[in-house]
Amino acid sequence: MNQITAPPELLVRDIPLDRLALAPENVRKTPPDRAAQAELEASIRAHGLLENLVVRIDESVDSGGSKASGKSSSSRKTKTAKPEDEKYAVVAGGRRLLALAALAKAGVIASDHPVPCRVTQHGNLEELSLAENVVRIPMHPADQVVSFARLVREGATVASIAARFGVSERIVEQRLRLGNVAPELLDAYRAGEMDLEALKGFSMTTDQDRQRKIWKQMAAESCRPTAWNIRRMLTEERVSSDSSLARFVGVDEYVAAGGPVMQDLFAEEDESGEWFEDSVLLRDLAMKKLTAAADELSTRWKWALPLLEVNWTSIYEYGQIEPQPGKPTAREESDLERINARMDELSALPDEEWNEKLEKEAGKLEDRLEGIREKVAKRAKFRREDFSRGGCIVTIERDGGLKIIQGLVKIEDMPVPDSSSGSAGTEDDNPTGSPKSDGEPKIIPPAGSGKSSSPEAQAREEAGIGIGLADDLRVIRNAIVKAHLAEDFEATFDLMVFQLARAVFFSNHYAGRDVLDISIRETLDRPTVRMNDDHFADWSPAEATINDWTGLPLQWMEKEDDGARFAALRELPREKKEELFAAAVARTLKGQLSFEYFARPQFEATVARLDIDFAKEMRPTADLLWSRLRKDHLLAIAAGTLGGKWAQDRSKYRKADLAMAMEKTFEACADGV
C-alpha cells in the first residue's frame, strides 16, 4: 500500500510581509480579475488570512539583501543569512500576497504585518504550485446561498456582508433572494435537475408554496424548467410595473394602500423586474383616480364617464362633436408653404436621381409637416354650447397618463332632423340632419346608430347575446379549443401553413382575416432606393429565384372562399405542405451582416448550417462593391483572398482600376477559371 507523505520541512512560520515576493515557480501568470481580487481583499480585511501561503527561502538574495551575481557558489563568498534577514519567495498564494500588499498600501495593515506561511523545500515547486491551484473544488452556489441567508438570520446586514466579502449590495440581495427559494428546489438545483437561471426565476416570489406548485406542475408535464417559463407562470395574474395601468397608479400609491410588490432582482437592465401582485387593488386605485378626474370634468361637460379600458366598441355608440379647428401661426403657414413646395420638387424627380440622401430629407420634411399639424390640431376648441350637449370619457393613455376623449354625444342627445327643412341640404352637406347654420357645430353620428354599421352587433342581437356575455363566451370557447389544438400537431401545422402562405404570397387580399394572432410579413429583397434600379437584379441573382413561384402548390388559393381554400390546403400531400411552409418562412427572413452589432446568432447559425458558398452565389462587381470601399481596404481584402503578390503588383493602381481588377478576378474565380 502506498504511503501518503508530506513535502519535507513544511513548517508554518509568521513571516513579515515586506520579506515576501512572488516566486517564478508560481503557475499563476494571468493577472487576477479585479472584482474577484476586491472580494479577496474584503475577505482578508474582515476575516484575516484563512489559508497560509506556501513559500521557500529565496536563495537568489544574499545575506545583505542584494541579488546574487550569478557566479558559482565556489567563486563568491557567502554568509549564512540570519533569520531576520531572510527573504522568501511565494510559491502558492500569489493572489493572497497581492491582496495583503494592497491592504498594506491602504494602511489597513503594517508593511511588516506577520503572515502565516508554510515553508517548504519540495523538489518540484512548480508542481506544488499547480496542485495548490488546481486541486480545489469551489463552493457550490446553493451552499453559498444558504450560508448568506444564515448570516442575515444571525443579525448581519446586507451592507456589512457586502463589505466583508467585497461584493456589491445588489449581489448580496440577489444571493439572499435565492435563499428564499423552497429547500426542495435548492436540492433539485444541487442534483442538477434545474440550472441556476431557473432557480433565479423561482426567486421572483417569496411564496414557497407557489414555487412548489409550479415545480410540481412542470415535473408532472415532464417539462425541463426554464427561467422564461417559470417567470411567465409566476406573473400570469400579476401586473408589470411598466404597464400603463401600473404607471397611472404609481408604485408609491399602490404600496401605501397595502399592495404587495414582487421584484425580480435578476431582471435585465431594460426590464422593469417589478410586478404588482394585487391586480384587484391596482384596478380599484386606478378607478378612484379616474373617477376623481371625471367628477372634475363633469363640472364643465354634461357628463363624464371613467373607464379603465377603452376600445372602438366603447365609443362607437356615441356621436362626436367636431371642435372649431385650430389655425396655424404666420410662421407655421410659411413653414408649411416651404415644406410643401420642397416635397413637390422631390416627388417630381425621376427615379434614377432618387438616392438615400434625398430619401432622408423627405423623411425629415414629413416629420416636420406632421409636427405642425399636431400643434394646430391641439388648438382646436369646443364651443360653449358643446359642453352643455356632450360629454367625455376619462381613461388611461398607453404611457400611463390621463386620457380624455371629449365631445361625445349620447344617442338621446343627438339633434333631431328637421323634416320641414325639405331640400335644405343633402346628408353629406349636413350629416347631423339638423338645420344648417354657420354657427352650429358639426356632429358625426354614432357608428352604431344604424344596423348596417355594426354587423357584429346585429349578429349578437339575433343570437340574443349581449356584448359582455359574448366576450366571456368567446374567451372560454377559445381556451377549450387551444387546449385541444396544443395536442394536435397536424392541425396546428395546417393552420400555420395556411396563414403563412396567404400572408406571404397574397398579403394584399386577405388583410385582417387571419385565425392566428401571429404577425407575418414578407421582407424586402432590395433596398427601397433600389426598387426601380434595373441593374440590381444582376447584382442579386437570388432575387429571381425568390420571385419564381413556379412549382409551388398554390392552386388552393383559387377557391371561392376561405372555407374551400383551407379544405383544399388540407388535402395537399405532406411533402407539398412542407415545401410551401419552407418557401413562405424563407421569404420572411430579416437581413443582416455577420459583423453588425445587433446581428442575431440564430441567423448566422442557420447560414453555417446551409453551408452557402457566397462567392458563387453573388457577383461582387465594381459598381456594387469594390468602388465603394477605401483603397487600403481593397488591398487588404486582395492580400487575404488573392495573395500578397497579387495585391503588391496592383498597389499602384488607381482605385477605379483596382476595383475593376477585383471584379474581373473574383468573377474568374467564381467561374472556376
Side-chain angles (χ1 to χ4, degrees):
M1 181 178 294
N2 294 332
Q3 287 188 332
I4 300 175
T5 58
E9 295 189 27
L10 205 56
L11 307 175
V12 177
R13 299 177 186 171
D14 282 342
I15 300 174
L17 176 60
D18 55 7
R19 290 165 59 189
L20 298 173
L22 194 64
E25 298 93 341
N26 192 291
V27 295
R28 280 189 182 269
K29 306 301 181 184
T30 305
D33 177 75
R34 290 186 179 182
Q37 196 64 17
E39 291 182 19
L40 179 59
E41 290 175 17
S43 175
I44 295 175
R45 182 196 296 252
H47 313 107
L49 191 64
L50 302 179
E51 186 177 355
N52 301 331
L53 307 184
V54 178
V55 303
R56 63 165 173 77
I57 296 176
D58 190 351
E59 298 175 350
S60 63
V61 179
D62 62 22
S63 58
S66 60
K67 293 287 182 180
S69 63
K71 297 179 181 179
S72 64
S73 56
S74 59
S75 61
R76 55 185 174 92
K77 296 180 180 180
T78 59
K79 298 178 181 179
T80 302
K82 298 178 180 178
E84 62 270 16
D85 295 330
E86 286 180 332
K87 301 290 185 180
Y88 294 84
V90 177
V91 176
R95 284 187 59 221
R96 281 162 277 161
L97 177 63
L98 285 176
L100 289 166
L103 292 174
K105 185 176 181 180
V108 177
I109 59 176
S111 60
D112 58 352
H113 179 80
V115 179
C117 300
R118 296 163 68 88
V119 183
T120 181
Q121 293 181 354
H122 187 274
N124 193 334
L125 296 176
E126 185 170 329
E127 179 182 338
L128 182 64
S129 175
L130 183 63
E132 202 266 354
N133 281 282
V134 173
V135 187
R136 58 172 62 192
I137 300 176
M139 186 179 190
H140 194 281
D143 299 329
Q144 187 183 48
V145 163
V146 172
S147 298
F148 269 64
R150 186 181 298 113
L151 287 175
V152 170
R153 289 196 299 271
E154 293 172 356
T157 65
V158 170
S160 66
I161 293 175
R164 288 159 64 182
F165 290 93
V167 295
S168 68
E169 293 186 17
R170 178 172 175 79
I171 290 178
V172 175
E173 289 172 348
Q174 289 178 342
R175 293 176 185 174
L176 290 176
R177 173 59 65 88
L178 290 175
N180 291 327
V181 173
E184 299 95 317
L185 273 63
L186 278 174
D187 291 341
Y189 170 48
R190 288 189 179 97
E193 297 173 20
M194 74 170 78
D195 58 22
L196 182 58
E197 292 304 313
L199 192 70
K200 291 177 180 178
F202 279 114
S203 74
M204 281 184 63
T205 178
T206 56
D207 186 345
Q208 295 190 355
D209 289 337
R210 184 167 175 79
Q211 294 171 1
R212 294 186 186 97
K213 181 179 178 180
I214 292 176
W215 173 245
K216 289 179 180 178
Q217 181 179 341
M218 288 184 163
E221 297 173 354
S222 299
C223 175
R224 175 76 179 180
T226 64
W228 178 87
N229 209 22
I230 294 166
R231 288 186 172 94
R232 179 187 62 79
M233 296 176 72
L234 283 172
T235 58
E236 279 179 336
E237 301 173 1
R238 278 101 177 136
V239 181
S240 173
S241 64
D242 60 5
S243 68
S244 57
L245 182 64
R247 290 182 182 183
F248 180 68
V249 173
V251 64
D252 293 338
E253 185 174 338
Y254 170 78
V255 172
V261 176
M262 181 171 68
Q263 290 186 324
D264 182 5
L265 295 178
F266 299 96
E268 300 294 336
E269 292 184 1
D270 58 344
E271 298 174 338
S272 66
E274 199 169 53
W275 301 83
F276 292 9
E277 297 201 66
D278 194 336
S279 60
V280 175
L281 173 62
L282 183 64
R283 293 173 72 88
D284 286 345
L285 292 173
M287 198 62 192
K288 287 179 182 178
K289 291 185 70 173
L290 291 175
T291 302
D295 290 344
E296 192 277 327
L297 286 165
S298 64
T299 62
R300 287 179 282 161
W301 289 97
K302 185 176 182 179
W303 56 270
L305 176 66
L307 291 176
L308 285 175
E309 298 173 355
V310 172
N311 52 36
W312 184 80
T313 59
S314 305
I315 59 175
Y316 87 105
E317 61 188 39
Y318 299 103
Q320 179 73 60
I321 302 173
E322 287 196 354
Q324 289 179 319
K327 295 182 179 180
T329 63
R331 181 173 181 178
E332 287 171 341
E333 286 183 343
S334 176
D335 287 346
L336 288 171
E337 183 177 350
R338 177 180 55 80
I339 292 171
N340 286 321
R342 178 55 179 160
M343 291 186 72
D344 289 341
E345 291 177 3
L346 292 176
S347 62
L349 289 174
D351 292 338
E352 58 268 18
E353 293 185 20
W354 195 255
N355 55 41
E356 189 174 348
K357 181 179 180 181
L358 293 177
E359 185 179 8
K360 188 178 294 185
E361 180 187 357
K364 290 182 178 179
L365 291 173
E366 284 283 0
D367 292 342
R368 176 62 180 151
L369 194 62
E370 186 62 28
I372 295 175
R373 288 171 180 165
E374 289 180 0
K375 288 182 180 180
V376 174
K378 288 180 180 179
R379 299 190 192 115
K381 294 182 179 180
F382 288 99
R383 306 164 184 82
R384 182 174 297 177
E385 58 269 26
D386 295 341
F387 291 97
S388 61
R389 171 177 285 171
C392 62
I393 290 178
V394 187
T395 186
I396 303 171
E397 284 278 14
R398 289 186 178 182
D399 62 0
L402 186 69
K403 181 179 181 179
I404 304 171
I405 306 172
Q406 306 182 81
L408 303 178
V409 182
K410 295 179 179 179
I411 293 178
E412 59 267 27
D413 293 331
M414 288 290 294
V416 180
D418 187 353
S419 58
S420 65
S421 61
S423 58
T426 65
E427 186 178 351
D428 289 337
D429 294 332
N430 187 14
T432 66
S434 58
K436 187 176 179 180
S437 65
D438 293 338
E440 187 173 348
K442 178 182 178 181
I443 303 179
I444 303 172
S449 59
K451 287 190 176 181
S452 61
S453 63
S454 179
E456 296 87 352
Q458 289 184 58
R460 287 195 303 270
E461 185 178 345
E462 292 172 3
I465 295 177
I467 187 171
L469 177 57
D471 289 343
D472 291 342
L473 291 177
R474 187 183 305 110
V475 171
I476 293 170
R477 180 177 187 267
N478 205 41
I480 295 171
V481 176
K482 283 181 177 180
H484 286 267
L485 187 62
E487 299 176 354
D488 192 326
F489 172 79
E490 294 299 331
T492 55
F493 185 64
D494 285 349
L495 281 174
M496 192 69 232
V497 173
F498 184 81
Q499 183 162 325
L500 259 172
R502 197 167 68 171
V504 170
F505 299 111
F506 302 93
S507 58
N508 296 329
H509 300 283
Y510 305 102
R513 294 170 57 186
D514 291 325
V515 172
L516 305 176
D517 191 9
I518 299 174
S519 178
I520 302 167
R521 181 169 57 89
E522 184 179 14
T523 51
L524 297 176
D525 297 323
R526 55 172 62 190
T528 305
V529 296
R530 299 284 191 185
M531 285 303 175
N532 298 312
D533 189 336
D534 295 334
H535 300 292
F536 193 79
D538 297 331
W539 297 336
S540 181
E543 183 182 70
T545 304
I546 295 171
N547 293 322
D548 183 9
W549 299 356
T550 306
L552 286 178
L554 295 170
Q555 295 81 2
W556 53 272
M557 287 300 304
E558 299 172 2
K559 300 295 182 179
E560 62 277 9
D561 56 42
D562 273 355
R565 294 183 192 105
F566 188 58
L569 173 90
R570 290 183 60 192
E571 294 299 322
L572 290 176
R574 176 57 181 262
E575 61 270 16
K576 290 295 183 182
K577 292 179 185 177
E578 292 177 355
E579 179 185 351
L580 192 57
F581 180 83
V585 169
R587 285 163 170 79
T588 68
L589 189 66
K590 296 180 180 179
Q592 71 178 35
L593 298 173
S594 60
F595 59 80
E596 291 181 293
Y597 182 75
F598 290 108
R600 296 169 288 274
Q602 62 270 36
F603 184 111
E604 299 308 316
T606 302
V607 170
R609 177 180 183 176
L610 296 173
D611 192 23
I612 301 171
D613 187 350
F614 286 99
K616 292 184 178 180
E617 296 283 345
M618 65 179 293
R619 297 291 183 179
T621 64
D623 290 340
L624 171 67
L625 177 63
W626 306 123
S627 64
R628 299 163 74 180
L629 299 175
R630 297 195 317 268
K631 183 178 177 181
D632 60 332
H633 197 177
L634 284 174
L635 291 171
I637 294 173
T641 57
L642 303 175
K645 186 177 185 306
W646 192 99
Q648 181 63 35
D649 291 345
R650 294 159 181 81
S651 61
K652 302 299 183 182
Y653 279 20
R654 292 186 302 111
K655 179 182 172 181
D657 296 334
L658 180 59
M660 286 302 301
M662 295 281 280
E663 175 182 331
K664 292 178 180 179
T665 305
F666 273 86
E667 184 175 354
C669 291
D671 293 336
V673 179

